[in-house]
Structure formats: structure tokens, C-alpha cells
Amino acid sequence: MNGTPQWAAGRVAVVTGAGSGIGRACAIQLATAGASVVVADRDVEGGEAVVNSVIDDGGIACFYQLEVAEDASISCMVAYALDRYAGLDIAINNAGISSEWLPLAHQSLSSFQRVMDVNLTGVFLCMKHQIGAMLDRGGGAIVNISSAMGLVGMPDLAPYVASKHGVVGLARAAMLDYALSNIRINTVCPGVVRTALLPDGAEAAMAPTLPMGRIGEPDEIAAAAVWLCSDAASYITGVALPVDGGHTAR
């Protein structure tokens, strides 16, 4: 595709939350690198648009409608990848939601549980099924998308912050379980990024406070995640990589 080196040719990837934002950018960049990509999202229209974009550019992709907090849905997603492309080598677990902007005492239990179900339990379930397929393949690479808020605190977002800290810890523990099995597991921690999760007015308010003076773009986050899946990162595992314009360095 467009003369880009095809380091991922012959490899199979799944990307969750791939219908928009960071997930979309990850799916497109993996396909550009030669991977056959399962674009997984609950949003049929968004996911199929990504698949069409990949195919129009000469790549290989298919869509799977996913409910990331449901074990059966994730199991079927992995089975679909194996049936469609006969293996699984790469997974980027990106699907996630935000919590309400409220102090902790005003957060509802149902909202907290929903955020944890999607952001943390969903990553656990994805890795559980992906790792099984990768063991059969002889190895693989997993990147979980956390957040800069998985490394530091943030007022009024306790459920989101807790879930994203959990993603970092979960990945590090899983890495220790499977490092000798040739499965690398890393985490990318984006800062403020131009996606649908960014509240109205947040860019104008937050950009001047960041060391680089601007918010990030989905392609910039995806570039880090896709690189961690590549052979260029073959000795990197257990890392929680901030891609945040310097935000967490303060």
C-alpha cells in the first residue's frame, strides 16, 4: 500500500474500538503495514467504513461487531479471526469509554461498574482469548490502550482513572505470565487526543497547559501502538508508554 514497508505481511491483527479515533488509526496503519485486520467495534457503520477505506487502499480487512464487555462476544471475535485468516499475531485493545465528570462521592455505582466493565474487564477478556490463540501461533504482540490517567490522577474522573490504572497493572502482570512464551504485552498511555471522548471546549482549555502546546492526533497514538507490535520492538515488553506531549513528565 503506497510503497510502505510491509513488515506485517502474512500477520493477522485484531483492533477493538476500531470504528473511530485511535482504533481506526491503528487498524489503518496495521493494514498499511501488510496485516490482515479484524476491525472490531459495536458501531457497524463506523467499523464498515474503516474496512472499506482499507480495502480501497489495497489492504485486507473485515468487520466484526463486538460488545467488549461480553465474554462470549470476545471469544467469537477471536474465533472469527482464526476462521477468516487462520491465526492471530497482533492485538490492539483500544475500546473504552469515559466516566462522568463528577467528584467521587457523586459518581453512581452503576456508572462506575459500566466503566470498569468496558475499560478493564473488556481488556482482561480480550487478552484471555487472544493469548490462547497466540500460544497456538507460537507468539504474538498485544498492546492495550490505557491513558495518561492510568499513570497519574485526575479530579472528577475517578472511575475512568481507576480503570486505566487497572489496564497498566493487568498488562504488566500478564507480561510476566507469558514473556517466555514469545508473547509481548505493552501498554500505550495517550494524553489529550482529538477523539470523540474529548469534551466540547476541552482542546482550547487544555492545549495551552501541555508542554508541547497542543493536543495529540489519533495517528500519533496509533504510530506508537503499531510500532510496539512490530519486530522493531522485539525486546520491549511490560512497558507503559506515555504518548502525551510531555503531560505526565511534570
Side-chain angles (χ1 to χ4, degrees):
M1 298 170 67
N2 297 329
T4 302
Q6 301 280 288
W7 64 263
R11 301 184 194 184
V12 180
V14 297
V15 182
T16 70
S20 63
I22 294 168
R24 176 184 185 277
C26 288
I28 290 173
Q29 290 186 26
L30 284 167
T32 300
S36 300
V37 183
V38 177
V39 174
D41 203 295
R42 69 180 307 182
D43 175 13
V44 175
E45 183 177 356
E48 290 183 342
V50 174
V51 169
N52 290 336
S53 179
V54 168
I55 292 172
D56 288 346
D57 202 26
I60 302 171
C62 62
F63 175 70
Y64 182 84
Q65 187 174 20
L66 176 70
E67 290 293 337
V68 76
E70 296 181 6
D71 186 31
S73 184
I74 294 171
S75 175
C76 289
M77 174 192 71
V78 172
Y80 180 75
L82 298 179
D83 181 64
R84 185 72 179 254
Y85 298 126
L88 181 62
D89 306 288
I90 294 168
I92 297 181
N93 298 316
N94 165 75
I97 59 175
S98 185
S99 56
E100 296 179 279
W101 288 74
L102 293 168
L104 188 146
H106 295 278
Q107 297 278 354
S108 69
L109 177 59
S110 62
S111 175
F112 176 83
Q113 290 176 329
R114 175 60 179 163
V115 171
M116 297 298 284
D117 284 347
V118 173
N119 291 1
L120 185 55
T121 303
V123 170
F124 164 78
L125 292 171
C126 282
M127 287 203 296
K128 176 181 172 64
H129 293 289
Q130 292 158 356
I131 287 168
M134 288 178 180
L135 288 171
D136 292 338
R137 193 78 154 173
I142 297 173
V143 171
N144 300 315
I145 305 299
S146 177
S147 168
M149 299 305 102
L151 302 173
V152 297
M154 181 77 175
D156 297 335
L157 280 175
Y160 180 80
V161 170
S163 71
K164 293 301 187 177
H165 271 72
V167 169
V168 172
L170 189 66
R172 284 175 168 159
M175 177 276 291
L176 294 172
D177 288 337
Y178 295 101
L180 291 178
S181 299
N182 195 34
I183 297 176
R184 296 186 299 105
I185 303 173
N186 291 294
T187 306
V188 167
C189 300
V192 185
V193 181
R194 187 176 284 107
T195 71
L197 292 182
L198 190 66
D200 291 341
E203 178 175 352
M206 298 185 75
T209 72
L210 301 173
M212 291 185 70
R214 64 174 180 86
I215 68 171
E217 300 292 342
D219 281 342
E220 294 177 299
I221 311 305
V226 170
W227 177 77
L228 283 170
C229 295
S230 76
D231 294 338
S234 59
Y235 199 53
I236 300 175
T237 193
V239 164
L241 177 65
V243 187
D244 62 358
H247 172 67
T248 56
R250 289 179 166 173

